[in-house]
Amino acid sequence: MTTDRPRERTMPLAQEARLFALLIEGALVSHNGDAALASERSGGLRDLWAALEPEVRRYLLLFATWPVRNTSRQGGSSMAEKYAAELARFATRWAAKNPGAGWAAFCSTPHSAFSPASSLAFDRDDLDVSWTTAVLLLARAGRTAKAGE
């Protein structure tokens, strides 16, 4: 049994995740939308990602997935690219089954994307995959917004 007390939440989970998403989006802007560069050269953000609670990381992964649910998914060979494509596919299916529901419901209710997002978010041994997945998803969301999709 541990004597550590749980951290008191200073802001709501959703707000913390969206705030961190803005920081990643800023890194993407600094690197002209290049997810690989933003992921590699934003060491301070990567360290903060590791310090986030897993629930915040999961929420952010789902939040970042929502805008790319209806875009064509480009496959890739890395685990992060595969996770990003899988999350987007699950989001597409969930949106079809839940017409009229928005991103807030997608981020907070259990569904098929919840499991892989949780797996990524709670894996403390390989945070690089979850970090890179989040950056990839937010980069794609940014391109989707620019394209007006």
Side-chain angles (χ1 to χ4, degrees):
M1 185 167 130
T2 181
T3 57
D4 293 341
R5 292 186 339 198
R7 176 175 84 88
E8 299 231 0
R9 183 158 291 290
T10 56
M11 70 175 66
L13 177 78
Q15 187 177 1
E16 190 173 347
R18 291 192 323 254
L19 177 62
F20 201 80
L22 287 174
L23 293 173
I24 295 172
E25 288 168 354
L28 285 163
V29 168
S30 296
H31 294 92
N32 296 318
D34 187 320
L37 283 177
S39 180
E40 291 171 15
R41 295 185 182 168
S42 300
L45 286 180
R46 165 51 181 88
D47 293 343
L48 284 173
W49 177 259
L52 288 175
E53 292 176 69
E55 294 84 1
V56 175
R57 289 193 298 265
R58 177 182 55 214
Y59 193 101
L60 188 146
L61 286 162
L62 293 170
F63 175 75
T65 299
W66 185 251
V68 299
R69 69 194 178 285
N70 294 324
T71 62
S72 60
R73 287 168 259 321
Q74 299 171 356
S77 58
S78 75
M79 286 304 295
E81 291 167 322
K82 290 176 183 178
Y83 269 112
E86 180 180 352
L87 289 169
R89 272 192 300 279
F90 285 137
T92 300
R93 288 185 206 137
W94 186 86
K97 290 180 183 177
N98 298 278
W103 65 268
F106 178 73
C107 293
S108 59
T109 55
H111 47 73
S112 55
F114 219 74
S115 181
S118 293
S119 176
L120 278 172
F122 283 81
D123 184 359
R124 303 262 333 139
D125 294 329
D126 199 1
L127 285 170
D128 287 331
V129 174
S130 62
W131 163 248
T132 305
T133 302
V135 175
L136 282 169
L137 287 166
L138 288 167
R140 290 178 187 166
R143 287 192 299 271
T144 299
K146 280 184 183 179
E149 294 179 21

